[in-house]
Amino acid sequence: MSNSPAPSVLNHWIGLLLLTGIGWIHFRDIPGKLSETPSLGWSYILLVAGCAASGAWLLSDRWRLGYGLGLAISLGALIAYTLTRTTGLPGATGDIGNWAEPVGIVSLLLEAAFCVLAVVRLRSASQTR
């Protein structure tokens, strides 16, 4: 099953950069999260692995799967950030009200940008079928 046409790196470089940024921000925070809130630390590990898988798919003829997975990851991260800042998550209430964390804002911007890019790419691909 192919999602042809097979893209080159140039066709999806913005998506790759956004996923790299999202993954890097969460990767560098894994040790702190694992010691502070292990469940969040493990979710960061899954997020980073998902970004890598999504990026790999963007480099293949299954690039739509890359945008789909990246969209799910980015939406999940946006929702989780919102929850940690409003109601908190089980075992993670220390960030309630902490909306101005610079790295968090950068992460939100990257995730939102990837969501927009993924929707645009997936919609345009479905319209050209």
Side-chain angles (χ1 to χ4, degrees):
M1 178 173 130
S2 175
N3 289 323
S4 60
S8 70
V9 173
L10 294 177
N11 290 341
H12 302 291
W13 68 272
I14 295 172
L16 290 168
L17 286 176
L18 292 170
L19 288 170
T20 301
I22 294 164
W24 177 250
I25 285 171
H26 289 86
F27 173 78
R28 51 188 288 282
D29 203 23
I30 289 172
K33 288 297 177 200
L34 282 173
S35 63
E36 158 187 314
T37 311
S39 61
L40 280 180
W42 283 102
S43 68
Y44 277 31
I45 291 169
L46 291 174
L47 181 144
V48 170
C51 284
S54 180
W57 271 331
L58 290 184
L59 296 173
S60 76
D61 63 343
R62 296 179 181 267
W63 57 271
R64 289 183 193 165
L65 292 173
Y67 282 114
L69 177 60
L71 179 60
I73 290 167
S74 295
L75 282 174
L78 288 167
I79 292 167
Y81 185 88
T82 302
L83 289 174
T84 60
R85 276 25 183 208
T86 55
T87 62
L89 294 173
T93 56
D95 280 325
I96 292 175
N98 185 17
W99 291 97
E101 181 184 3
V103 173
I105 293 169
V106 171
S107 184
L108 286 175
L109 292 172
L110 294 175
E111 292 151 3
F114 190 87
C115 288
V116 170
L117 177 66
V119 168
V120 167
R121 286 294 199 157
L122 292 170
R123 288 190 76 196
S124 89
S126 70
Q127 292 173 354
T128 59
R129 284 183 138 185

